[in-house]
Amino acid sequence: MADEGHAKVAAMMSHHNDFAIFRKFSKLNYQNLLYLQAELTHLEANLKKVADRDGGDPNRELYSKDWWFLAQNEAEHDSREQWQKFLQIRKKLKEYNDHLAQVVFLTSLKPPTAYDQAYLSEWLKRPKMGDFPLRGLDRNIWSPDSTDLLAIRRRTSSSPFTRWLTNTIIPYLHHHLFYHFKTPVADDPESGICQYEEKKIERTVDILVTVLASLIPIASILILYFVANTLHRLAITVAFTGIFAFCLAVTTRARRVEVFAATSAFAAVLVVFVTGNNAAIA
């Protein structure tokens, strides 16, 4: 029997980790932290009152200096209230620290990509895919306008160009052409999901970028060689420098300082060529 309801959604997520998307419940988590913080603040104040009271009693003045007298002494004039209060704080403090660590971890997880969130939302609605498996209040958690979400395994691309190719171009080509040739994944055919390997996409992009990196300098030098006017040469230099910087920014993960350095070096080569003594072909 095929999975239904939450089991159906869980099965899809287990086969396609990119769509393992969940709510953070940020407001509730922060509210819980604030309540725990308030509880601890009151417990701390109560502990101070008890400690100050015990500090003024000659029979309990060692409480602040000797743990045994505070926690283990069984004399008639002794009171365990201060130690019991601290044990209460210890339990609440552990709860607070554990939840704080969980919130820090949750906030470190990145949100899903817009494409993955939109696709999951569509998958839930399509009759041949999810077909509205959830009917409760949680059915709208993955709507496209939801922002309080995290991805267990967010897809990462090596460059803005790769992300654009993966999230825009390939889905467009799939809907208009590739769906004739692609079949749904074998381990989950009912999902209707067709898989394109990211490694192959990135390898293709790497090849294109390598070719582009060799063509831009050659093309700029060839064009400059056939242009005699100095002003035109300078304009072409500016244009190709901008093109080079743009391509470097969108097709690689280079840092800003690396883009500046590479662009400066490229511009310097062109300037040397422009100002050189090579005669242009008329």
Side-chain angles (χ1 to χ4, degrees):
M1 182 178 178
D3 291 325
E4 296 291 340
H6 290 86
K8 186 174 184 178
V9 180
M12 192 275 281
M13 290 181 175
S14 67
H15 288 106
H16 311 284
N17 294 333
D18 297 337
F19 302 120
I21 301 170
F22 300 91
R23 268 196 71 179
K24 288 183 180 179
F25 292 99
S26 298
K27 180 182 177 181
L28 292 178
N29 274 309
Y30 289 135
Q31 188 173 356
N32 190 35
L33 273 177
L34 289 171
Y35 285 149
L36 289 170
Q37 178 178 261
E39 289 182 73
L40 280 169
T41 302
H42 283 275
L43 288 172
E44 182 184 34
N46 292 336
L47 176 65
K48 187 177 185 305
K49 289 180 181 179
V50 175
D52 290 344
R53 183 201 64 193
D54 290 344
D57 189 331
N59 295 319
R60 303 170 185 170
E61 59 183 0
L62 287 179
Y63 280 9
S64 62
K65 302 176 182 179
D66 192 321
W67 171 84
W68 190 89
F69 277 97
L70 172 66
Q72 303 296 329
N73 197 359
E74 296 182 356
E76 294 183 359
H77 55 265
D78 286 327
S79 171
R80 297 285 186 84
E81 183 180 0
Q82 185 179 160
W83 179 241
Q84 294 298 327
K85 183 70 66 176
F86 193 85
L87 291 179
Q88 184 181 1
I89 290 176
R90 176 184 291 174
K91 183 179 180 180
K92 186 62 63 177
L93 194 61
K94 183 181 186 304
E95 184 181 355
Y96 175 81
N97 290 338
D98 288 344
H99 189 64
L100 182 62
Q102 292 172 3
V103 172
V104 170
F105 173 72
L106 288 175
T107 54
S108 69
L109 295 177
K110 296 182 179 180
T113 63
Y115 175 80
D116 288 343
Q117 183 176 341
Y119 186 91
L120 179 57
S121 179
E122 284 298 315
W123 181 89
L124 292 168
K125 300 174 184 178
R126 292 184 182 181
K128 294 183 179 180
M129 293 184 179
D131 192 21
F132 297 96
L134 305 181
R135 304 299 172 91
L137 293 176
D138 57 337
R139 66 185 183 277
N140 296 320
I141 284 178
W142 299 277
S143 61
D145 58 344
S146 297
T147 57
D148 189 32
L149 299 175
L150 60 86
I152 299 297
R153 179 184 173 272
R154 178 190 168 102
R155 286 188 297 122
T156 57
S157 300
S158 58
S159 67
F161 178 74
T162 305
R163 289 194 295 272
W164 175 70
L165 185 67
T166 303
N167 297 334
T168 304
I169 299 301
I170 290 181
Y172 177 83
L173 292 176
H174 175 80
H175 291 307
H176 292 82
L177 179 64
F178 292 166
Y179 74 93
H180 293 294
F181 313 102
K182 293 287 288 185
T183 56
V185 290
D187 56 356
D188 190 17
E190 293 185 0
S191 67
I193 296 176
C194 297
Q195 186 172 9
Y196 293 85
E197 295 185 24
E198 290 189 24
K199 290 184 178 180
K200 291 183 178 179
I201 296 174
E202 292 183 356
R203 193 178 304 118
T204 302
V205 171
D206 289 341
I207 294 173
L208 292 175
V209 170
T210 302
V211 174
L212 187 64
S214 62
L215 288 179
I216 291 179
I218 295 173
S220 60
I221 291 173
L222 283 175
I223 293 175
L224 289 172
Y225 182 78
F226 287 101
V227 176
N229 186 285
T230 303
L231 288 179
H232 291 170
R233 283 185 155 199
L234 290 175
I236 293 171
T237 299
V238 172
F240 269 100
T241 301
I243 293 172
F244 179 83
F246 175 77
C247 292
L248 195 63
V250 301
T251 61
T252 69
R253 299 181 67 178
R255 295 177 300 168
R256 190 174 303 172
V257 63
E258 295 170 338
V259 173
F260 285 156
T263 303
S264 299
F266 178 77
V269 172
L270 294 186
V271 169
V272 170
F273 186 84
V274 169
T275 58
N277 295 325
N278 294 332
I281 297 178

